[in-house]
């Protein structure tokens, strides 16, 4: 194997190049190579300056995350970076791409930094549940002050080179070729007699780094990183920079970082990092099929989903035809879109010019003929299968023969809709989540006849829209009857009602939460318990936001409501029948005063629950928080196991990505399947079997869960065995 580091000489200049594709992660071999290079160059009196640069698409984009589980491997990043900083010749970092984590820390240990304008630099460690552990918390405050350093670390998102230069992180922007520019810059430094400039020798500017500031930034970080400890630990490390010597500060940082890398939080977030990337690799999908070019998109339906999807597409620079049958609905949709953009301008997320540009990409119309010549059609009308089939039936007579066809259905049988289009091979499900311009998840549904080209195009689209695309199947690999299907599994013909995300929510989580109401727990009690578990929002606050009529309609029109035995969403559906539709009607599980969004407990709901419980012969009792957690979360695991066995989801990690990016499952727990593994599947199975004995029907343990529990395996092992 070629070494990942090399040295090239240009007279008295030495250029060290790191070449470790794909992202030049600072693996053990890179560290060893870099240390050897710095040791030999430091001894070499013919060297007057050193440039450290990277081959390929980026400067070092971080430590090698795959090594995090293997403990400390020498030489450590600290040893290597100290060797860089102690070099007796000036060392210049030449940045392009993304200098992240250990890459940014390497740049901080160099004496000078230059970058192309497109480069980005940052310390995103907190997104992985860890803190910078290669001197970042000690060197950054010395370069830009403790206050700004803490902000950058807590924000955990990289900044551009121009901004980096403004705050003193980058010394020189190189407008043309980086290699040539960096060498010229190093020669300039030699000419000026500029010697080494070790960051560790600089004093820390603690101006404004006070408790009030720290509290405020910490609160903002906790809001974004629910349930994480890492933000507090980052504060502790940066505080150490303001109080201790550099070496003592490094010791403190190392102590915290080494402990935290082994924490449950960090393991969960690492799992999600790799699971999100693995989701793009679909088993059996040919890598060589090129995606279709998508530039013009028709979106049918200007309701909440349609307009959100239109905005998402315009944000990515796509041209949008927003089609709606009803003139008033169209103008409402366009007005709502403008309001979304205006609010984004108000919050300084985008500029007024960007708003104008994006709105100019969206064209509204009343005729379906606007689909002519588009590259993609996304249908986003209400969940009525006949309506959807009618729309796609009409497309056959219009001029969009080459277009990818997509339905935004969240529950219905995609194959049935695809068949109505006459082009099932060009058909996929694109299940966006509301609000579509905010939520990161895109569930891509693969029909029985979806072509590889259609799937590859959908995945490329997800990336272009900056979403996490997860491919799921519309129906089970084999007829369910053959496998002895259980209640809660897929439907007729093997179709998975609700695919992965909604199926787990409707058949597991929400169904059980609804039943707990009948057994005696109040809506706010259940909401609070699950928020404490880490969900972004409790199930009933969420249901009230989504609208109870929408859920009832999909259960009724699909025939599911009639096929399931009670208790099955009894409270939710009765509330909807009585016109309590949630926030939009001022009352649902909760009541809302004067159009406000604050959910208030409602005695009317309690009375209805008591009435239903009486009717169903359910005895009411006190339900504690622990039971609420188990009763709502374990069905996710059980249903997830069925979904895996049926081949509806390809990997447990895909389910985890769906639930953490689309349904507010706590990222610090890694998603329901990772969480199950961390509890031990034998424990989970035992509990589910106990609940099956007590509650019957819906709790029947999934055969896969039973099999794994009995053989002492985890979902992760099962998944690896199938690679
Ligand atoms: N360690 C190990 N592997 C890494 C890695 C790291 N720090 N960063 C990226 N990779 C791998 C990815 O897993 C992926 O592998 P795959 O192709 O086998 O799935 C590959 O590199 C490309 O990454 P991807 O994210 O798909 O490419 P991108 O161009 O969209 O984004 C980055 C590139 C660098 C911006 C992005 O990968 C990233 O943010 N990496 C993590 C940076 C980080 O947090 N660093 C701090 C670590 S302490």
């Amino acid at each position: 194997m070629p070494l990942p580091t090399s040295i090239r000489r240009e007279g008295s200049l030495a250029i060290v190049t790191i070449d470790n594709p794909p992202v030049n992660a600072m693996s053990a071999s890179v560290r060893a190579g870099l240390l050897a290079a710095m040791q030999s160059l430091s001894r070499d009196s013919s060297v007057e300056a050193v440039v450290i640069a990277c081959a390929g698409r980026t400067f070092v984009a971080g430590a090698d995350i795959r090594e995090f589980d293997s403990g400390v491997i020498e030489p450590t990043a600290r040893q290597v970076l100290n060797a860089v900083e102690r070099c007796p010749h000036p060392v210049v970092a030449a940045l392009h791409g993304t200098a992240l984590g250990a890459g940014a820390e390497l740049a901080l240990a160099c004496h000078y930094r230059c970058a192309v304008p497109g480069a980005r630099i940052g310390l995103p460690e907190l997104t992985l549940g860890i803190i910078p552990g290669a001197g970042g918390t000690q060197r950054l405050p010395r370069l830009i002050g403790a206050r700004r350093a803490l902000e950058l670390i807590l924000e955990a998102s990289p900044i551009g080179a121009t901004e980096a230069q403004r705050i003193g992180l980058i010394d020189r922007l190189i407008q043309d070729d980086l290699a040539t520019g960096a060498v010229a810059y190093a020669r300039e430094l030699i000419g000026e007699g500029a010697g080494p400039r070790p960051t560790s020798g600089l004093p820390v500017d603690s101006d404004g780094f006070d408790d009030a500031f720290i509290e405020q930034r910490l609160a903002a970080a906790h809001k974004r990183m629910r349930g994480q400890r890492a933000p507090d630990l980052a504060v502790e490390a940066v505080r150490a920079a303001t109080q201790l010597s550099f070496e003592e500060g490094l010791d403190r940082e190392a102590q915290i970082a080494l402990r935290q890398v082994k924490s449950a939080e960090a393991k969960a977030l690492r799992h999600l990092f790799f699971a999100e990337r693995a989701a793009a690799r679909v088993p059996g999908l040919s890598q060589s099929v090129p995606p279709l070019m998508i530039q013009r998109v028709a979106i049918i339906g200007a309701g909440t989903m349609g307009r959100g999807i239109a905005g998402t597409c315009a944000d990515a620079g796509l041209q949008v035809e927003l089609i709606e049958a009803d003139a008033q609905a169209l103008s409402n949709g366009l007005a709502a879109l403008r309001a979304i953009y205006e609010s984004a301008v108000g919050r300084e997320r985008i500029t007024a010019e960007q708003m104008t540009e994006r709105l100019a990409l969206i064209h509204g119309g009343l005729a379906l003929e606007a689909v002519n010549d588009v590259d993609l059609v996304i249908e986003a009308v209400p969940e009525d299968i006949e309506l959807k089939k009618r729309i796609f039936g009409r497309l056959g007579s219009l001029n969009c023969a080459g277009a990818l066809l997509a339905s935004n259905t969240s529950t219905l049988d995609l194959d049935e809709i695809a068949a109505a289009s006459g082009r099932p091979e060009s058909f996929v499900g694109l299940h966006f989540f509301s609000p579509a311009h905010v939520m990161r998840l895109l569930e891509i549904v693969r029909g029985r006849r979806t072509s590889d080209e259609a799937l590859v195009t959908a995945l490329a689209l997800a990336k272009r829209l900056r979403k996490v695309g997860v491919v799921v199947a519309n129906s089970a690999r084999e007829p369910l009857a053959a496998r002895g299907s259980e209640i809660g599994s897929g439907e007729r013909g093997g179709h998975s009602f609700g695919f992965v995300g909604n199926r787990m929510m409707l058949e597991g989580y929400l169904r059980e939460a609804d039943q707990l109401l009948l057994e005696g727990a109040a809506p706010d009690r259940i909401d609070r318990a699950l928020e404490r578990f880490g969900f972004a929002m409790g199930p009933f606050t969420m249901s009230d936001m989504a609208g109870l009529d929408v859920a009832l309609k999909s259960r009724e029109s699909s025939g599911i409501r009639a096929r399931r035995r009670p208790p099955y969403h009894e409270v939710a559906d009765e509330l909807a029948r009585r016109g309590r539709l949630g926030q939009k009607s001022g009352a649902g599980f909760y009541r809302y005063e004067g159009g406000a969004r604050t959910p208030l407990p409602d005695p009317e709901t309690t009375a209805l629950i008591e009435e239903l419980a009486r009717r169903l012969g359910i005895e009411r009792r006190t339900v504690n928080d622990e039971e609420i957690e188990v009763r709502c979360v374990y069905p996710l695991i059980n249903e997830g196991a069925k979904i895996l066995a049926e081949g509806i989801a390809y990997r447990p990690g895909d389910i985890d990505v769906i639930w953490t990016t689309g349904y507010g499952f706590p990222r610090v727990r890694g998603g329901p399947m990772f969480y199950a593994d961390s509890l031990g599947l034998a424990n989970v199975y035992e509990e589910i079997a106990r609940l099956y004995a007590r509650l019957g029907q819906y709790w029947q343990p999934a055969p896969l869960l039973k099999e794994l529990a009995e053989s002492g395996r985890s979902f992760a092992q099962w998944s690896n065995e199938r690679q």
Side-chain angles (χ1 to χ4, degrees):
M1 260 201 18
L3 283 175
T5 53
S6 58
I7 303 175
R8 185 168 56 83
R9 290 292 295 263
E10 275 190 28
S12 62
L13 213 75
I15 297 117
V16 179
T17 304
I18 300 170
D19 187 1
N20 184 29
V23 297
N24 290 313
M26 205 189 276
S27 61
S29 57
V30 168
R31 294 198 300 275
L34 201 50
L35 182 63
M38 292 319 298
Q39 283 169 339
S40 86
L41 294 173
S42 293
R43 283 193 301 265
D44 190 336
S45 56
S46 70
V47 173
E48 287 188 284
V50 179
V51 171
I52 299 181
C54 287
R57 67 202 238 207
T58 180
F59 194 75
V60 174
D64 191 331
I65 303 168
R66 287 164 309 184
E67 288 178 0
F68 284 9
D69 288 317
S70 42
V72 180
I73 308 171
E74 301 250 348
T76 62
R78 176 172 175 176
Q79 288 164 336
V80 178
L81 269 45
N82 280 350
V84 170
E85 193 175 60
R86 285 182 196 139
C87 178
H89 327 296
V91 184
V92 178
L95 313 183
H96 75 293
T98 40
L100 303 178
E105 291 170 300
L106 169 62
L108 296 177
C110 293
H111 306 136
Y112 301 89
R113 285 154 292 277
C114 64
V116 291
R120 298 181 68 73
I121 181 163
L123 294 168
E125 279 84 349
L126 264 61
T127 59
L128 289 167
I130 55 173
I131 67 157
T137 64
Q138 305 304 301
R139 287 194 177 93
L140 194 59
R142 286 175 162 80
L143 265 186
I144 61 170
R147 190 180 158 102
R148 190 74 187 99
L150 183 68
E151 272 176 347
L152 278 185
I153 293 169
L154 290 181
E155 278 159 22
S157 99
I159 55 170
T162 310
E163 166 71 357
Q165 186 188 34
R166 196 185 61 77
I167 62 172
L169 200 49
I170 300 278
D171 301 292
R172 173 75 57 93
L173 284 184
I174 308 281
Q175 298 297 343
D176 300 316
D177 177 60
L178 178 63
T180 318
V183 164
Y185 178 45
R187 289 208 189 289
E188 213 179 292
L189 291 169
I190 296 172
E192 286 167 5
R197 196 182 55 173
T199 309
S200 61
L202 301 171
V204 177
D205 175 1
S206 304
D207 220 27
F209 187 75
D210 51 42
D211 288 347
F213 164 77
I214 293 171
E215 291 270 298
Q216 188 245 339
R217 303 314 293 179
L218 203 49
H222 279 304
K223 226 170 147 185
R224 278 179 287 112
M225 304 180 203
R226 254 178 314 116
Q228 279 197 47
R229 268 202 80 214
D232 303 272
L233 299 175
V235 168
E236 195 182 324
V238 174
R239 215 192 281 273
T242 66
Q243 294 167 341
L244 306 175
S245 71
F246 179 71
E247 282 300 325
E248 285 168 338
L250 280 187
D251 286 343
R252 176 67 60 84
E253 179 195 82
Q255 206 181 31
I256 299 171
L258 283 175
R259 206 180 46 224
Q260 185 63 7
V261 82
K262 295 187 209 129
S263 67
E265 155 183 342
K267 283 183 185 155
L269 292 168
R270 263 197 310 275
H271 160 70
L272 289 173
F273 177 85
F274 288 115
E276 283 182 16
R277 280 153 185 84
R281 289 188 292 272
V282 180
L285 180 65
S286 167
Q287 296 293 317
S288 56
V289 179
L292 295 170
M293 273 284 294
I294 304 281
Q295 198 45 48
R296 279 194 69 217
V297 185
I299 295 163
I300 305 174
T304 310
M305 284 316 296
R307 68 177 82 124
I309 299 169
T312 308
C313 290
D315 290 348
L318 300 175
Q319 255 177 292
V320 177
E321 294 291 337
L322 187 59
I323 306 170
E324 171 62 64
D326 177 79
Q328 187 58 49
L330 178 64
S331 82
N332 289 351
L334 290 171
L337 250 172
R338 172 172 287 277
I340 292 172
Y341 278 124
E342 277 169 352
S343 137
V345 172
R347 282 176 294 133
E348 295 184 5
R349 294 269 166 85
I350 57 170
T351 63
E353 291 74 46
Q354 280 172 320
M355 171 174 93
T356 311
E357 274 167 31
R358 292 178 196 186
L359 281 171
L361 286 170
I362 302 170
H363 178 252
L366 294 168
L368 206 54
E369 281 65 26
V371 300
N372 283 344
D373 298 327
V374 297
D375 310 307
L376 166 64
V377 178
I378 305 176
E379 163 275 308
V381 301
E383 285 289 84
D384 174 343
I385 196 152
E386 295 308 323
L387 174 63
K388 287 176 194 270
K389 281 159 74 175
R390 257 199 321 278
I391 289 172
F392 282 106
R394 278 189 61 200
L395 290 188
S397 61
L398 299 169
N399 186 17
C400 59
L404 177 70
L405 304 177
S407 170
N408 177 53
T409 179
S410 58
T411 50
L412 302 173
D413 187 346
L414 193 83
D415 287 331
E416 201 178 326
I417 308 171
S421 77
R423 290 177 43 214
E425 65 288 345
S426 304
F427 211 98
V428 290
L430 291 180
H431 179 203
F432 287 85
F433 288 72
S434 189
H437 61 290
V438 176
M439 298 295 284
R440 281 176 72 223
L441 177 62
L442 181 59
E443 210 180 27
I444 300 172
V445 188
R446 183 185 204 171
R448 278 207 196 283
R449 298 189 50 196
T450 301
S451 68
D452 283 2
E453 184 185 63
L455 211 52
V456 167
T457 306
L459 279 162
L461 177 76
K463 198 151 190 172
R464 174 132 183 225
L465 301 181
R466 307 182 71 177
K467 306 256 176 239
V468 188
V470 184
V471 176
V472 304
N474 175 63
S475 47
R477 252 193 317 258
E478 51 184 295
L480 293 174
R483 295 184 29 264
S485 158
E486 313 79 19
I487 288 169
S489 286
E491 285 300 309
R492 285 167 304 175
H495 162 59
S496 177
F497 177 77
F499 312 115
V500 171
N502 275 358
R503 171 167 156 191
M504 290 169 69
M505 178 174 76
L506 298 171
E507 298 297 315
Y509 182 69
L510 286 186
R511 182 191 45 67
E512 200 60 23
D514 196 286
Q515 182 167 338
L516 281 169
L517 293 176
L518 299 171
E519 289 180 31
D524 55 328
R525 176 79 193 266
I526 297 178
D527 274 356
R528 291 300 87 73
L530 290 163
E531 282 162 13
R532 253 195 308 276
F533 175 78
F535 273 98
M537 194 186 276
F540 299 118
T541 308
M542 183 189 72
S543 294
D544 269 1
M545 268 179 78
L548 303 186
D549 51 335
V550 180
L552 173 60
K553 189 166 180 205
S554 83
R555 275 194 279 278
E556 281 182 335
S557 75
S558 61
I560 289 273
R561 176 77 254 157
R563 287 200 291 282
R564 297 282 190 262
R565 272 179 285 156
Y568 184 77
H569 297 277
E570 301 303 330
V571 182
D573 290 352
E574 190 53 33
L575 286 169
R577 285 188 208 103
R578 294 186 185 192
R580 295 181 62 118
L581 311 181
Q583 250 185 43
K584 61 183 166 194
S585 71
F589 286 101
Y590 296 98
R591 63 186 179 86
Y592 301 87
E593 269 176 8
R597 292 194 193 164
T598 316
L600 303 167
D602 190 345
E604 267 190 47
T605 309
T606 317
L608 172 82
I609 294 170
E610 285 169 358
E611 181 194 322
L612 284 172
R614 250 192 324 274
R615 216 189 292 163
L616 291 163
I618 297 172
E619 202 176 311
R620 290 172 57 79
R621 63 194 167 85
T622 307
V623 182
N624 66 29
D625 283 3
E626 199 192 333
E627 179 174 356
I628 292 171
E629 199 179 296
V630 169
R631 291 274 302 272
C632 294
V633 175
Y634 282 33
L636 290 175
I637 302 167
N638 205 32
E639 197 64 30
K642 294 178 194 170
I643 281 172
L644 286 172
E646 290 168 22
I648 302 289
Y650 300 123
R651 284 165 289 236
D654 289 356
I655 296 180
D656 290 336
V657 172
I658 287 174
W659 268 80
T660 48
T661 53
Y663 295 85
F665 192 95
R667 289 179 63 80
V668 287
R669 296 190 193 265
M673 310 319 274
F674 182 87
Y675 177 58
D677 278 352
S678 70
L679 293 171
L681 294 192
N683 297 328
V684 175
Y685 170 69
E686 236 173 70
E687 184 64 43
I688 289 180
R690 244 197 315 272
L691 286 160
Y692 181 45
R694 189 176 121 207
L695 298 161
Q697 51 169 348
Y698 296 113
W699 280 94
Q700 185 178 36
L704 176 64
L705 178 62
K706 181 168 190 275
E707 178 196 327
L708 295 179
E710 285 174 352
S711 58
R713 282 137 79 217
S714 63
F715 287 120
Q717 279 169 315
W718 176 82
S719 183
N720 288 337
E721 287 157 14
R722 296 157 56 87
Q723 297 288 311

